[in-house]
Amino acid sequence: MELIVDIRKRLRDFDLNVNFTVKNEIFALLGGSGCGKSMTLKCIAGIERPDAGRIVLNGRTLFDSDQKINLPPQLRRVGYLFQNYALFPNMTTAENILFAAIGTDEERQARLRANLERFKLIGLEESYPHQLSGGQQQRVAFARILSSGAEILLLDEPFSALDSYLKWQLELELEQVFAAYDRSAILVSHDRGEVYRISDRVAVMNRGSIEAMNTKHKIFENPKTLSAALLTGCKNVSSARRLSDEVIRAEDWQMEFELDEPIADGINCVGLRAHALEPRTEAGANTFLMRVEQTIEDNFSYVVMVRRSGTDGRPIRWELDKKLWRSLEAPELYLHFPPSKLMLLIDRRGAR
């Protein structure tokens, strides 16, 4: 399966300008509300029309502004799963699935039977959406999409309105769907944990553009831009100034760090995940005496806010296991900032 997307569209506050290819994978668009994620899906599905560019699915051109091609949604073979699943309330499970099924009457019935079995909906054929649980509604929506002959799934914030327990249950069911579904999917989400658990590759979007794109592991390890770091959950960021090839000063934290590799041009920020700090017994390279400003007990950990001792630098968030904190607890302690965990970033918004 291959989907090529290269489109531009003028929106109210910015231009949507995205270029990516999806191949046999779960591809995620991660970004804040209003950044253009859902609009990208709508353009792929044919619900919205780009101003320019092209969209090609498995060699079929769905949209091409130069060639004046713009296939209607029903001809695109794209399965769009809306946030509320968009089941017809006056139709039963079977009727919802048959409504989208393609082929002859015999083929449509065969698709119905196959998807009722695939999604564990046997016995719910005559149930209406309001009689189904959230997980059952989601499975009906997937069954309807696959009965339509969809070649790719578009998932638009599928868990956004759910409580944490139901969301977890539906994520597990979604994994089963993907295991039985040999095509690709695009997941739109603002939830970094959801994206990390479900996707293979991630594109971070900000104001209509893709700022960073890589495998989920690499995008979280090295997001490259300040916006991408914040969207992937980095709690500690500071403006930065390069002092030499391998030394950088974090201005907001009032610290200087030695790095293991040369600092690239354009780096003006540094980031650190809250769990990356390491306790030490004495000062050294990248190890500083830190003053504890505040401790916050979470469900299974402590959040400890620390500041470099003797300075008015910005506090840094440190998250650690409860047992470990109780063994270390002190007004001041030495903390090490591992060079491999320091993320060198570019703030593309300009001066901060």
Side-chain angles (χ1 to χ4, degrees):
M1 200 296 309
E2 181 180 67
L3 173 71
I4 301 170
V5 178
D6 182 5
I7 55 173
R8 288 152 306 280
K9 184 176 178 64
R10 178 61 188 168
L11 304 181
R12 186 177 63 180
D13 299 322
F14 54 83
D15 290 328
L16 178 68
N17 189 342
V18 292
N19 184 346
F20 60 87
T21 299
V22 179
K23 280 188 176 183
N24 301 317
E25 61 186 332
I26 310 302
F27 182 79
L29 295 175
L30 173 65
S33 298
C35 73
K37 308 183 304 295
S38 293
M39 180 59 71
T40 300
L41 290 196
K42 290 175 181 177
C43 288
I44 296 169
I47 299 170
E48 294 280 350
R49 186 185 188 280
D51 296 330
R54 62 195 291 262
I55 303 170
V56 180
L57 176 60
N58 291 332
R60 294 186 302 111
T61 300
L62 308 184
F63 174 82
D64 191 309
S65 56
D66 291 337
Q67 298 184 47
K68 312 297 184 187
I69 297 173
N70 185 26
L71 293 186
Q74 62 269 27
L75 297 181
R76 295 198 175 199
R77 297 182 205 160
V78 169
Y80 198 126
L81 183 67
F82 294 88
Q83 291 182 25
N84 62 357
Y85 311 134
L87 299 176
F88 296 110
N90 60 334
M91 291 187 182
T92 65
T93 293
E95 289 168 341
N96 264 285
I97 297 171
L98 284 171
F99 181 84
I102 61 172
T104 64
D105 287 344
E106 184 178 345
E107 289 170 339
R108 293 173 67 243
Q109 288 295 328
R111 287 178 180 271
L112 171 63
R113 291 191 299 273
N115 281 295
L116 286 171
E117 183 174 350
R118 171 184 289 174
F119 293 103
K120 301 182 179 67
L121 294 169
I122 301 297
L124 299 174
E125 298 91 329
E126 301 304 316
S127 298
Y128 288 90
H130 74 272
Q131 298 172 315
L132 302 174
S133 69
Q136 290 167 339
Q137 289 181 34
Q138 188 190 59
R139 294 203 300 271
V140 174
F142 273 114
R144 185 173 63 179
I145 288 171
L146 298 193
S147 294
S148 71
E151 296 176 6
I152 188 169
L153 299 182
L154 307 181
L155 312 178
D156 192 356
E157 302 272 10
F159 311 116
S160 61
L162 305 176
D163 62 58
S164 59
Y165 178 76
L166 182 55
K167 176 179 176 178
W168 175 245
Q169 294 300 310
L170 295 187
E171 279 191 29
L172 293 177
E173 293 187 1
L174 185 58
E175 289 291 338
Q176 295 175 4
V177 171
F178 289 146
Y181 183 68
D182 59 356
R183 298 180 180 89
S184 298
I186 301 178
L187 169 69
V188 154
S189 180
H190 63 272
D191 186 322
R192 61 185 180 274
E194 179 179 296
V195 163
Y196 195 89
R197 289 187 296 271
I198 295 174
S199 68
D200 301 307
R201 198 159 55 99
V202 181
V204 177
M205 286 190 67
N206 182 35
R207 291 184 60 79
S209 298
I210 293 176
E211 285 206 348
M213 183 163 54
N214 215 321
T215 65
K216 65 180 179 184
H217 298 105
K218 290 183 178 179
I219 206 79
F220 278 78
E221 290 169 5
N222 185 16
K224 297 187 181 296
T225 71
L226 176 62
S227 293
L230 295 175
L231 283 166
T232 56
C234 182
K235 300 296 193 299
N236 300 310
V237 294
S238 168
S239 60
R241 178 165 54 93
R242 180 174 176 267
L243 300 182
S244 67
D245 285 348
E246 296 181 357
V247 177
I248 195 166
R249 176 173 173 80
E251 301 284 10
D252 299 332
W253 302 337
Q254 298 184 26
M255 298 178 185
E256 295 177 7
F257 299 115
E258 299 176 13
L259 302 176
D260 294 334
E261 56 186 35
I263 301 167
D265 293 338
I267 296 299
N268 56 8
C269 289
V270 62
L272 182 76
R273 304 286 181 190
H275 59 271
L277 288 165
E278 299 174 357
R280 292 286 191 270
T281 57
E282 59 184 9
N286 290 6
T287 302
F288 306 89
L289 183 63
M290 308 296 291
R291 182 173 71 251
V292 175
E293 298 288 339
Q294 185 179 9
T295 59
I296 304 161
E297 186 175 9
D298 208 341
N299 290 346
F300 305 106
S301 63
Y302 271 101
V303 176
V304 182
M305 301 302 297
V306 296
R307 189 197 312 265
R308 186 177 184 186
S309 185
T311 76
D312 60 355
R314 180 186 295 173
I316 295 170
R317 178 177 175 134
W318 179 30
E319 296 181 20
L320 68 163
D321 176 79
K322 285 186 176 183
K323 184 176 180 180
L324 177 58
W325 171 244
R326 287 166 182 157
S327 71
L328 296 169
E329 192 168 358
E332 291 187 325
L333 66 165
Y334 289 101
L335 290 179
H336 180 64
F337 293 68
S340 63
K341 301 296 183 180
L342 291 167
M343 299 181 293
L344 303 183
L345 308 168
I346 297 175
D347 181 2
R348 290 182 175 163
R349 301 173 303 179
R352 300 174 66 239

